[in-house]
Amino acid sequence: MKKYKFLVMLFALIGLATSCSQDDSINLQNTGNNRVVMNASLDAETLASLKLGTATRSASGDLQLEGYSLRYILEVWNGSNAVAYREETLVSDASQPIAFEFSLSEAGDYNALLWADYVANDIATDGHYTDLYYTTNDANGLKAISLIGDTYAVNTTSRDAFFGKASFTKASDAPADAGSVTLKRPFGRINIIEKDVDMLTELDNMSISYSVPSIFNVLDGTVSGTHSVSVSDITSFPDAATQKANLFFDYIFAPASDQQLLGEIGINYQLSSEDNSFTIPANMPVERNKRTNISGYILSIPVDPTVTRVLVEIDDTWVDSDYEFDAPAVGSYYYEGGLFSKQYISVLTCLGVVFHVDDTQEHGLIVGLKQTKAQWSTVQALSGTDMRYTGPQNLLAIKGKGQWQTLYPAFKWCVDQGPEWYIPTVSELQLLGENSSEVNTALEAAGADVIDVDAQLWSSAENAPESSFYVFKTGQNWTSGVIDKTESNNVHIVRAF
């Protein structure tokens, strides 16, 4: 089995394939012909870096940065280069996907731009939360996010930010599913490291100056403009154990593929009340979503005069970790952020267990850790679901019915588990049953609900007004049948990766 170490770039495997095509959006008319839905989430490596970095779990279990709120901004631009829709929302848990639902009355091609950053105020004015480090609501919106000079700060993890984009087509008189978008960082990070750690005890304060790009375009990922950084009287320095840097670190906008080369970095500092200075030479490289570690004898002259004063290393990961993760396989655990491991890792948040991997060995299906027993429906009436549709399509059909939360208990419970989950199709349940031995071994080790091989498992499709399809084991095979939809049967939830 091929392994992927966390110290190397982790695969972002959370581009969840839950969208349905416009051609397949049968029976969605009840949800509104102008309706558009899309999901957004942080990518796997980004989430892992937050969990292993300075973000913490609150008492409720939410992944947060203490003292700040994570704000998502969605801007939808039409073919006339105008904003057709804009929304800002705060999330309490950075680890969870966010679902957007909005209306577009005109058919056409659209670009959905997404930005997420931290704000200090949770009160919105006219739908806009006060920008803290980045101006997001100028005339060009997310096409020209700019640094706010007055609040520019180093050694500040709240300056972290994330972006993503998606293109979709809205057909006339039909709802649209814009799919799922994963957000990554728009910048690289520089870590300035003093190699002679004994000198840090004598460091009183420090001032720094250099230039960085000032504008980021979410649509095309380009950087432009110049901001002259000038930060004085730095007296609090980062902990190398958690931040890598021990003098200062900074987030710097970087292009999608090429390196952003910096000019000289001027450092003035007081060492035991004596003024000193050092200049890091120009052309230090910055790469998006990577760390540039600049280390050397900045506060002191090395004993060996042949030792190079400054060394530069580009690190493919945002944080250091000794965890190893596997490629997805039946029976492996799926962790928050799209990470896979054969071993149950208690310090990470496990969401489910893999029960199917496709031929690419990169995509498949997971089953959730919880199950319940519920009625498919409380009434014997057509719901608009069908054996021909996918699980997500059937869920959308159910959500298009009035009072669906009351009428369809199994689907209500499914939705309560999170935006990416759905009740599986008959064929997906058969895959789950066929692999139940390996899956149950993993579920039991995680303290989760195992699959009852003697139970009847609800699918997401109905057969008639009074009945729906279920799957059950007979002999060594898993087969399907129909049963009164008002009966209570076992409900499992699945999601794609």
Side-chain angles (χ1 to χ4, degrees):
M1 177 67 69
K2 186 176 180 182
K3 301 229 175 173
Y4 298 83
K5 290 199 173 184
F6 188 70
L7 294 178
V8 182
M9 178 80 66
L10 292 173
F11 287 109
L13 296 178
I14 57 175
L16 302 173
T18 61
S19 66
C20 62
S21 70
Q22 293 168 359
D23 291 338
D24 290 331
S25 56
I26 306 170
N27 287 325
L28 300 186
Q29 61 269 23
N30 292 324
T31 66
N33 290 338
N34 295 332
R35 181 170 175 255
V36 181
V37 294
M38 70 180 300
N39 294 317
S41 59
L42 302 184
D43 90 305
E45 185 180 14
T46 299
L47 264 182
S49 70
L50 291 177
K51 293 190 65 172
L52 298 172
T54 55
T56 58
R57 290 285 183 185
S58 66
S60 63
D62 294 342
L63 185 65
Q64 301 172 333
L65 189 61
E66 186 175 358
Y68 301 91
S69 297
L70 183 62
R71 169 186 64 173
Y72 273 83
I73 302 175
L74 168 65
E75 264 183 12
V76 181
W77 290 72
N78 61 24
S80 300
N81 201 33
V83 176
Y85 180 80
R86 192 178 197 276
E87 176 184 350
E88 295 189 19
T89 187
L90 302 182
V91 297
S92 59
D93 188 350
S95 67
Q96 295 301 310
I98 179 172
F100 290 98
E101 183 174 327
F102 52 96
S103 294
L104 294 175
S105 59
E106 296 183 3
D109 295 328
Y110 291 89
N111 287 308
L113 309 185
L114 287 155
W115 175 263
D117 62 3
Y118 290 100
V119 295
N121 194 326
D122 59 1
I123 299 176
T125 302
D126 295 328
H128 176 64
Y129 296 93
T130 302
D131 293 323
L132 181 57
Y133 299 113
Y134 309 97
T135 298
T136 62
N137 63 342
D138 278 352
N140 289 317
L142 300 186
K143 290 183 179 181
I145 297 170
S146 59
L147 299 172
I148 300 176
D150 291 343
T151 57
Y152 196 99
V154 297
N155 300 338
T156 305
T157 53
S158 56
R159 273 198 49 218
D160 216 346
F162 320 95
F163 83 102
K165 66 176 182 177
S167 298
F168 66 95
T169 299
K170 171 70 171 63
S172 179
D173 295 325
D177 189 331
S180 298
V181 181
T182 56
L183 282 69
K184 301 191 73 171
R185 292 180 170 93
F187 34 59
R189 171 168 156 162
I190 60 169
N191 292 318
I192 311 302
I193 305 163
E194 169 58 47
K195 296 183 72 172
D196 187 351
V197 294
D198 292 336
M199 300 298 293
L200 298 174
T201 60
E202 302 178 36
L203 182 60
D204 298 323
N205 65 71
M206 182 174 64
S207 299
I208 55 177
S209 60
Y210 48 95
S211 294
V212 298
S214 60
I215 298 173
F216 182 78
N217 185 334
V218 173
L219 178 63
D220 59 19
T222 57
V223 300
S224 60
T226 301
H227 174 70
S228 297
V229 176
S230 180
V231 183
S232 302
D233 299 322
I234 302 171
T235 57
S236 179
F237 304 97
D239 180 3
T242 58
Q243 298 295 344
K244 190 80 170 185
N246 58 18
L247 291 180
F248 72 91
F249 63 86
D250 194 7
Y251 303 97
I252 298 173
F253 287 144
S257 55
D258 297 331
Q259 293 180 335
Q260 180 68 41
L261 299 180
L262 301 179
E264 292 183 344
I265 300 176
I267 303 175
N268 295 306
Y269 58 95
Q270 273 197 339
L271 210 60
S272 298
S273 300
E274 182 179 340
D275 292 335
N276 295 274
S277 64
F278 185 84
T279 299
I280 296 176
N283 295 322
M284 294 292 110
V286 178
E287 295 186 27
R288 187 182 294 177
N289 288 291
K290 297 181 181 182
R291 295 182 296 177
T292 299
N293 302 316
I294 304 172
S295 61
Y297 295 95
I298 296 170
L299 305 180
S300 63
I301 298 175
V303 175
D304 183 354
T306 65
V307 173
T308 303
R309 291 292 296 274
V310 174
L311 295 174
V312 181
E313 174 194 39
I314 295 181
D315 193 338
D316 282 346
T317 60
W318 207 259
V319 295
D320 294 331
S321 171
D322 292 329
Y323 292 122
E324 288 189 357
F325 298 95
D326 304 295
V330 171
S332 61
Y333 297 100
Y334 176 92
Y335 292 97
E336 185 179 74
L339 311 176
F340 300 87
S341 177
K342 293 179 181 178
Q343 302 300 316
Y344 182 70
I345 304 172
S346 61
V347 297
L348 297 179
T349 302
C350 180
L351 299 180
V353 173
V354 177
F355 69 91
H356 171 68
V357 180
D358 69 11
D359 292 338
T360 70
Q361 300 298 303
E362 294 183 359
H363 303 287
L365 298 166
I366 66 167
V367 62
L369 301 179
K370 297 179 181 179
Q371 65 170 303
T372 192
K373 194 166 188 175
Q375 294 171 287
W376 199 98
S377 173
T378 61
V379 294
Q380 292 185 331
L382 289 175
S383 65
T385 63
D386 196 283
M387 275 279 283
R388 297 172 297 169
Y389 305 156
T390 65
Q393 285 178 277
N394 282 332
L395 180 57
L396 280 175
I398 291 291
K399 292 173 72 175
K401 307 293 286 186
Q403 299 182 322
W404 69 270
Q405 294 96 329
T406 301
L407 297 177
Y408 302 98
F411 292 88
K412 169 64 167 59
W413 178 80
C414 170
V415 170
D416 288 343
Q417 309 313 305
E420 299 290 349
W421 297 103
Y422 62 88
I423 295 177
T425 62
V426 166
S427 60
E428 288 171 337
L429 281 173
Q430 289 172 327
L431 286 172
L432 178 62
E434 290 165 3
N435 292 303
S436 58
S437 178
E438 291 174 274
V439 171
N440 275 346
T441 298
L443 288 170
E444 187 173 7
D449 295 339
V450 298
I451 300 161
D452 185 351
V453 296
D454 297 319
Q456 298 175 148
L457 313 181
W458 276 131
S459 81
S460 61
E462 68 187 352
N463 172 63
E466 69 280 356
S467 61
S468 292
F469 289 96
Y470 73 101
V471 168
F472 63 100
K473 187 177 184 181
T474 173
Q476 297 301 312
N477 299 315
W478 289 79
T479 188
S480 64
V482 296
I483 198 171
D484 189 331
K485 62 175 62 173
T486 62
E487 290 191 15
S488 291
N489 285 309
N490 287 22
V491 182
H492 289 278
I493 52 173
V494 303
R495 63 194 286 181
F497 63 85

